[in-house]
Amino acid sequence: MGVSAVIGFLGVLGAIFLMNSNTAVMEVGRNLTASLSALSALADASNGLQGLIFFISACCTSIAMKFLKNRCRGNGLPSLQQQTSPSEGPENVEQPIPRRRNQSSSATAAARLCKEALKTLYTTTGSFVQLIPWADDDKMHIMDIYTDLELENTDGKKEKVESYEDILHRKTKKGHPIKRIICKGQPGYGKSTLLDKIAYDWAVGSVQALLKYDLVIVLKMGALQQHSDLVDAIFDQLLDEDTPVNKSNLKSFINSNPDKLLILLDGFDEFLTTDLVETSFGSILKMLNRKVNRECCAVVTTRPSHFHKLVSRSLIERPFTHVTVLGFNEESVQKYVNKFYSENTDEAHELFNTIQSTDVLFELAKSPMLVLLMCLLWRDDSKLPDTLTRLYEKALRYIFRRKCKDWSDNEISQILIQLGKIALEGLLDPQQMLSFQEKAFEGTLLYEALKVGLLTKQRVLKVFDEHNTVQFIHKTLQEFCGAKYLQHLLEADYEKFQKILNEIDRKVTKNPNDFEYLLRFSCGDHPSCTGKILNIFRENVHYALNYYFECQANTLLFEDVVASVFCNSINFIRDMIRFSHSFFWLLKRVADDGSTSYLTSVQELSINDWSLQRYDDELRCGLCEMTKLRGIDLVNTSLTGSSMNVIARSFKHLGNLTRLTLFNNQALSGSLTSWAPHLQLLKNLKTLEIEDCSLDGRDVISLTTACGKMQKLDKCLATDHTRSMHMIRNEYNDTSLSLNRCSLALAGDDLAEMFESVGGRGDIVKVHLTGSGTSTAEVQLWAPKVKTLKQVRALSLSKFKLQGADIKHIAAAVGDMPTLATLTLNDNNSLGGCAEIWAPDLQKLRHVKKLELCKCSLTRQDIPHIVESLSTLPCLRTLDLSGNDLCGCTPSDWSRLNNLKRLLLPPHLSNDFSEIRQFMPNTTVR
């Protein structure tokens, strides 16, 4: 009898889950009390076994009642206690709405209620930014503190993104909107705040691109698992417990209107499930992989360490927009500090100057979260630490002093170590656990950590079970505490310390990024721990740089690590930018230490996509000791004229350098006059490339002047969108020089120095100079120096805007150049109509074999003067007058040029060619 009753009761419970009808849920709820009474009576009349059965049944009933209470809330139903009893009559019972008939209106109503609730949340409590993640009582409104982040589109060619609105408008090549967006960035770089800002802008209606969305949903992935449902997560994370929103109607709206949704998923790297199984996906992950609701727009943030896990066949496949959150640039830092200290501009100015004054702080300030820490710590005592570890140390002491004033430093350390044991166990877990159950914390540890604000507690509902999960308020804090525990083990239990380190080593092999911050914090001001870590991770040279820097040892330690950094070839690319400060810090330490044996082994140095503006002196010091260096490539490194002036002071020590490349450094514009002379000290340089550096005319002239004094230089290229300079030596040791579209409105003595310098090489055989069409500097000053080009066989001075009076100076110089065979004076329009002034000087061109006067606006009246002078030149064989309007010329006008082999005329004279040939039978006329 008792067994039958229990089986029947469990059958009732099973029915609850098989029924989707709200009415069924309510009906079962009404009958639970009666079931309990029947079981109770049965237990009273039975033996001890039946009593046990009763106990089990009672527990099941209690759990079911609790579940139904939550189920009713989620479906917008009254609780069991609020429902009408049968004695009150059926007219007072809320009738369920027929699903099919009223689905659209009910779904719309649920969406409207949800929209109102979300907007209220995002514009009230949700609009306040927690300044330090673990200081919940220190907040500012998002509009009072938010500063635009530096974003970069990393799909294909890297390009800056002006605002987050741009990433919502991206389309495929065929014009289809891209509705999956990944925002990748280092911890603390503002990814979460960016999503909060998007939500706030939607709530207040301030951004046009967001107006098309009925619902903008911000979810923390740290509270989700792979089977998590979207609507359940909305209720769990965003809506009040007593919300009137009907869950099933909201789900119906979402499924029917996915294009009206913008889903913002924050922190994929904190996702509770690491081993993804596609068959277990709930609606959130199915939405990401487009199995459901493919038309909704989703933005996901993640650390770089988890990017490749997110971009997979089971989750996000192309097309997707990939944006890197670069954090703050210098302008953003200043703007942020000014906002924080809006009522105290003096403090803001002093803090910003302090951040700028040291490379360490400036590098850390790329992280908005660390700028927040700096602002708060500066507010405390107007001082800032100089490493990541020290910044966190000081921030935590600051928090503890505010919350627990009577605690000693030792008590604080013990709390951090105890928390660190749990933190480290979570980080080492195969799932990399970031959420913990309350029972993991012994004694008063949980209470104390919650009181201080290092931990946060969150309610989690799972069918029959409701419990609290505990998380560190930010993952970097979990890593910091884990590091404190690891340092403690080095002294307290070395065997366990080594075992953990070996375990980390095995995991790091798969993904070094997962443990970067844990290991950085572990090395912080702890040379012993740093030595053990570097001994294991020496092969990860770039990560070792940050570990070494955090250690801040007073002497140069770990020589094998130093030797692996400064090896034969050093190559840094954009993805390694977070190691830049540590590299230059160590470079300066090694150079100052006098341990030149490390640096003299370096033969190649390549730095791509790093900003060198703040490290010019460190680089100069290092280069001075790299005496065997053969090649330097500085590509897109934000070099300025002032930084190059500093770096160039090392050139005198680089006697073995054969290649120097400076590419895409736009800020070098207008600066070569000051540092180009240092290039002459590179005695063995063979290749020099300065491309896409926005050089102006004076830069090109200065560079050409320097190259003229570099006898071993085989190739020099300086190009950008408007002008170029090429100097190339061929296999026959003949060198050609070409300057294109160079502004020549310079001092005449600058051009004179250039010609004299180039002439001094002795191997220049072709010189092609093209001006920009502006007026040329004093020709009488530089023209005489042209004759120093003793070996030149071809000279072109096109688009120089030469005047008639200038020809006499040029002709006088060319007349003294016996090797010159070709003279080109094309595109000098001012020569037209005044040949009677300058044509007589052409008689000095006694060695010239080919003369080009194309597009010089010559007229019929100019031809007799030109022909008369050229008829006296014994060596002239080719004359090119194409591109001039010579209407009116007669065939006989050319008869005196019977020594020519070729005469090139404008096409409109083609009808006269046969007659001209009668006068000039030995000349080819075209």
Side-chain angles (χ1 to χ4, degrees):
M1 180 72 177
V3 173
S4 300
V6 171
I7 293 173
F9 178 72
L10 293 178
V12 172
L13 292 180
I16 293 174
F17 297 100
L18 295 174
M19 288 188 253
N20 292 321
S21 167
N22 293 336
T23 305
V25 173
M26 295 170 63
E27 189 64 30
V28 171
R30 293 191 184 98
N31 289 306
L32 280 174
T33 305
S35 300
L36 180 59
S37 300
L39 286 168
S40 181
L42 175 64
D44 289 339
S46 303
N47 55 25
L49 177 60
Q50 291 172 326
L52 177 61
I53 293 171
F54 163 73
F55 174 76
I56 296 172
S57 301
C59 291
C60 292
T61 303
S62 175
I63 294 171
M65 291 287 287
K66 187 172 186 179
F67 164 73
L68 286 172
K69 179 180 179 181
N70 288 312
R71 180 76 179 269
C72 291
R73 177 183 73 83
N75 286 284
L77 301 173
S79 66
L80 295 177
Q81 293 83 353
Q82 293 173 328
Q83 293 180 31
T84 309
S85 64
S87 61
E88 293 177 308
E91 66 274 11
N92 295 324
V93 179
E94 181 181 347
Q95 297 297 320
I97 300 172
R99 184 173 181 182
R100 290 184 179 178
R101 182 186 307 172
N102 296 318
Q103 183 179 36
S104 178
S105 60
S106 301
T108 302
R112 185 178 65 253
L113 290 172
C114 184
K115 182 176 184 178
E116 292 172 357
L118 292 177
K119 285 193 171 185
T120 300
L121 173 66
Y122 298 155
T123 56
T124 54
T125 55
S127 65
F128 282 84
V129 177
Q130 197 168 308
L131 295 186
I132 295 183
W134 48 92
D136 55 2
D137 60 344
D138 211 340
K139 297 183 178 182
M140 292 181 71
H141 193 275
I142 193 167
M143 293 307 295
D144 292 335
I145 199 67
Y146 182 80
T147 303
D148 288 335
L149 298 164
E150 193 173 11
L151 304 175
E152 179 182 73
N153 177 40
T154 44
D155 283 332
K157 184 178 180 180
K158 293 180 173 64
E159 58 181 358
K160 290 293 171 55
V161 178
E162 293 300 322
S163 72
Y164 74 75
E165 296 174 61
D166 294 342
I167 67 178
L168 299 175
H169 294 303
R170 300 274 172 172
K171 294 184 179 181
T172 65
K173 291 181 179 179
K174 294 185 177 180
H176 301 302
I178 300 177
K179 296 191 175 184
R180 297 297 179 269
I181 302 163
I182 300 174
C183 291
K184 179 183 71 178
Q186 294 295 328
Y189 268 40
K191 302 183 296 294
S192 300
T193 307
L194 174 63
L195 298 192
D196 290 341
K197 180 62 164 55
I198 294 174
Y200 178 82
D201 288 344
W202 169 75
V204 298
S206 60
V207 174
Q208 184 68 32
L210 299 175
L211 298 181
K212 64 181 179 181
Y213 299 112
D214 286 340
L215 297 176
V216 172
I217 299 162
V218 185
L219 297 176
K220 301 294 183 183
M221 295 199 75
L224 302 176
Q225 294 184 342
Q226 64 177 341
H227 55 72
S228 295
D229 176 74
L230 176 60
V231 175
D232 287 342
I234 294 172
F235 273 78
D236 194 37
Q237 294 193 32
L238 301 174
L239 300 181
D240 295 336
E241 289 191 14
D242 59 351
T243 179
V245 178
N246 181 286
K247 181 178 286 189
S248 62
N249 288 338
L250 180 60
K251 181 173 292 189
S252 176
F253 176 85
I254 290 174
N255 291 337
S256 302
N257 303 275
D259 59 320
K260 298 295 184 182
L261 263 67
L262 174 60
I263 301 175
L264 309 175
L265 299 175
D266 187 25
F268 177 76
D269 53 285
E270 299 181 13
F271 195 40
L272 290 177
T273 306
T274 57
D275 295 329
L276 300 177
V277 180
E278 193 169 355
T279 55
S280 300
F281 284 5
S283 60
I284 293 178
L285 294 192
K286 285 183 179 179
M287 174 273 300
L288 280 183
N289 68 13
R290 300 180 175 94
K291 294 296 175 62
V292 299
N293 298 330
R294 65 183 299 117
E295 291 304 315
C296 76
C297 185
V299 181
V300 190
T301 68
T302 183
R303 285 189 185 188
S305 58
H306 286 64
F307 174 75
H308 293 292
K309 185 178 293 185
L310 181 59
V311 179
S312 63
R313 297 186 67 180
S314 63
L315 282 178
I316 298 182
E317 292 188 279
R318 292 192 179 278
F320 63 84
T321 297
H322 178 198
V323 175
T324 300
V325 181
L326 301 177
F328 281 167
N329 55 26
E330 185 173 1
E331 181 182 352
S332 303
V333 173
Q334 185 173 24
K335 186 176 180 181
Y336 193 95
V337 170
N338 288 340
K339 281 189 173 184
F340 190 95
Y341 286 104
S342 58
E343 297 181 359
N344 192 337
T345 55
D346 290 340
E347 283 291 318
H349 181 71
E350 191 173 351
L351 171 57
F352 181 67
N353 285 343
T354 301
I355 293 173
Q356 278 192 312
S357 66
T358 70
D359 297 334
V360 182
L361 293 175
F362 189 82
E363 182 67 21
L364 293 176
K366 291 179 180 178
S367 165
M369 189 178 79
L370 297 184
V371 177
L372 269 174
L373 287 179
M374 293 178 193
C375 290
L376 285 164
L377 296 179
W378 185 266
R379 187 174 66 183
D380 191 42
D381 62 3
S382 300
K383 294 180 182 178
L384 292 178
D386 52 5
T387 70
L388 182 66
T389 303
R390 292 172 183 175
L391 196 63
Y392 270 69
E393 287 270 12
K394 189 170 182 178
L396 283 171
R397 304 290 170 178
Y398 169 82
I399 296 300
F400 273 103
R401 282 203 310 273
R402 294 182 59 191
K403 299 294 184 72
C404 305
K405 297 181 180 179
D406 298 331
W407 287 15
S408 66
D409 287 347
N410 184 59
E411 289 174 314
I412 294 173
S413 295
Q414 290 304 310
I415 288 288
L416 295 178
I417 290 171
Q418 291 176 54
L419 287 174
K421 182 177 185 295
I422 299 169
L424 189 57
E425 289 173 354
L427 293 171
L428 295 177
D429 188 89
Q431 309 295 322
Q432 194 161 86
M433 189 165 50
L434 304 177
S435 294
F436 307 89
Q437 293 191 5
E438 292 179 286
K439 63 183 180 182
F441 301 85
E442 298 178 356
T444 61
L445 178 61
L446 178 60
Y447 167 77
E448 291 166 342
L450 289 170
K451 175 184 175 183
V452 175
L454 304 183
L455 300 178
T456 183
K457 191 161 59 173
Q458 186 172 7
R459 180 181 62 84
V460 174
L461 176 64
K462 293 184 181 178
V463 188
F464 282 123
D465 181 31
E466 180 180 345
H467 66 273
N468 291 320
T469 64
V470 179
Q471 290 179 301
F472 286 85
I473 201 70
H474 195 270
K475 189 178 179 182
T476 54
L477 182 60
Q478 181 176 347
E479 291 163 320
F480 179 83
C481 292
K484 286 298 175 187
Y485 177 65
L486 192 60
Q487 289 179 344
H488 166 73
L489 285 181
L490 180 59
E491 305 294 334
D493 190 343
Y494 179 76
E495 184 177 346
K496 187 173 183 180
F497 169 86
Q498 195 62 47
K499 182 179 179 181
I500 290 175
L501 213 55
N502 291 336
E503 184 178 354
I504 294 175
D505 183 29
R506 290 192 295 272
K507 295 177 181 292
V508 163
T509 303
K510 296 180 180 178
N511 193 347
N513 289 328
D514 281 349
F515 296 92
E516 179 185 356
Y517 281 80
L518 170 67
L519 295 174
R520 283 185 68 175
F521 286 133
S522 297
C523 294
D525 293 308
H526 205 299
S528 298
C529 195
T530 303
K532 301 298 181 183
I533 289 173
L534 290 179
N535 189 49
I536 290 181
F537 302 108
R538 68 180 68 184
E539 292 184 4
N540 294 310
V541 175
H542 301 126
Y543 292 91
L545 283 168
N546 281 345
Y547 305 156
Y548 202 125
F549 172 74
E550 290 294 328
C551 174
Q552 291 289 301
N554 293 325
T555 57
L556 200 60
L557 303 176
F558 323 120
E559 295 185 0
D560 54 339
V561 175
V562 177
S564 64
V565 172
F566 301 109
C567 56
N568 179 273
S569 179
I570 299 175
N571 182 25
F572 287 108
I573 59 176
R574 181 179 187 81
D575 291 343
M576 304 173 186
I577 195 169
R578 62 186 184 278
F579 311 119
S580 59
H581 177 75
S582 299
F583 170 75
F584 286 112
W585 172 82
L586 183 59
L587 177 63
K588 184 71 160 57
R589 292 288 300 273
V590 173
D592 290 347
D593 187 69
S595 304
T596 56
S597 58
Y598 294 116
L599 300 180
T600 53
S601 65
V602 181
Q603 295 188 27
E604 295 285 335
L605 174 63
S606 177
I607 300 177
N608 296 262
D609 299 302
W610 285 14
S611 176
L612 298 180
Q613 287 187 35
R614 302 186 62 83
Y615 302 112
D616 48 20
D617 191 58
E618 287 85 348
L619 183 56
R620 177 193 63 80
C621 291
L623 290 175
C624 286
E625 306 299 334
M626 295 181 187
T627 53
K628 295 182 180 179
L629 198 63
R630 298 182 62 82
I632 299 177
D633 299 310
L634 304 178
V635 179
N636 193 27
T637 50
S638 303
L639 288 172
T640 64
S642 58
S643 59
M644 273 306 301
N645 276 322
V646 175
I647 295 169
R649 298 208 310 266
S650 68
F651 288 173
K652 61 183 178 182
H653 301 280
L654 304 179
N656 291 300
L657 194 72
T658 60
R659 187 190 75 257
L660 175 61
T661 300
L662 306 175
F663 179 75
N664 196 26
N665 291 284
Q666 309 291 335
L668 289 180
S669 177
S671 69
L672 263 73
T673 303
S674 60
W675 60 268
H678 290 283
L679 293 170
Q680 302 168 32
L681 302 175
L682 300 172
K683 300 297 184 182
N684 288 296
L685 194 68
K686 295 182 179 296
T687 302
L688 174 61
E689 298 183 59
I690 306 178
E691 301 192 58
D692 288 336
C693 292
S694 298
L695 303 184
D696 61 21
R698 190 177 295 275
D699 288 326
V700 173
I701 300 304
S702 299
L703 178 60
T704 307
T705 301
C707 291
K709 299 175 182 178
M710 301 168 70
Q711 296 296 326
K712 294 187 178 181
L713 190 66
D714 294 331
K715 181 173 74 173
C716 178
L717 302 178
T719 63
D720 58 25
H721 300 298
T722 58
R723 54 184 55 85
S724 65
M725 176 270 194
H726 294 171
M727 191 176 76
I728 300 176
R729 177 154 43 199
N730 63 21
E731 66 271 22
Y732 304 108
N733 283 328
D734 291 337
T735 302
S736 299
L737 173 65
S738 174
L739 276 66
N740 184 42
R741 292 187 58 79
C742 298
S743 174
L744 297 166
L746 308 170
D749 51 3
D750 288 336
L751 288 173
E753 184 181 3
M754 182 198 78
F755 280 114
E756 188 171 20
S757 174
V758 171
R761 281 183 61 101
D763 62 342
I764 304 289
V765 296
K766 293 181 181 179
V767 176
H768 181 88
L769 308 182
T770 303
S772 61
T774 57
S775 298
T776 305
E778 305 97 324
V779 176
Q780 70 274 16
L781 295 180
W782 58 262
K785 298 298 182 180
V786 172
K787 64 183 178 182
T788 61
L789 303 171
K790 297 293 186 181
Q791 306 299 319
V792 169
R793 297 194 290 267
L795 174 64
S796 174
L797 301 173
S798 300
K799 288 189 178 180
F800 266 45
K801 211 169 185 177
L802 295 173
Q803 305 298 312
D806 296 329
I807 299 300
K808 64 180 179 181
H809 303 293
I810 295 173
V814 170
D816 291 333
M817 300 169 66
T819 62
L820 186 67
T822 301
L823 177 63
T824 301
L825 300 174
N826 296 335
D827 290 292
N828 288 291
N829 297 329
S830 297
L831 297 181
C834 61
E836 60 180 324
I837 298 174
W838 55 267
D841 293 304
L842 297 180
Q843 299 176 38
K844 300 175 184 177
L845 308 179
R846 55 185 180 276
H847 305 294
V848 173
K849 296 179 180 180
K850 180 180 179 180
L851 177 64
E852 297 182 20
L853 292 168
C854 304
K855 298 179 182 179
C856 289
S857 300
L858 299 179
T859 66
R860 162 71 179 84
Q861 288 72 29
D862 293 318
I863 296 306
H865 305 290
I866 295 174
V867 169
E868 182 179 358
S869 295
L870 296 183
S871 64
T872 64
L873 300 181
C875 297
L876 188 65
R877 294 294 178 266
T878 301
L879 174 63
D880 189 350
L881 297 175
S882 58
N884 294 290
D885 185 3
L886 301 181
C887 291
C889 288
T890 64
S892 61
D893 290 337
W894 313 100
S895 60
R896 297 183 63 185
L897 299 176
N898 50 21
N899 288 333
L900 290 181
K901 296 297 183 182
R902 297 182 68 200
L903 175 63
L904 304 179
L905 298 173
H908 61 262
L909 295 181
S910 59
N911 293 333
D912 297 333
F913 286 177
S914 59
E915 291 188 50
I916 295 174
R917 293 189 187 101
Q918 293 178 9
F919 290 97
M920 307 170 66
N922 298 320
T923 304
T924 299
V925 182
R926 290 185 181 179

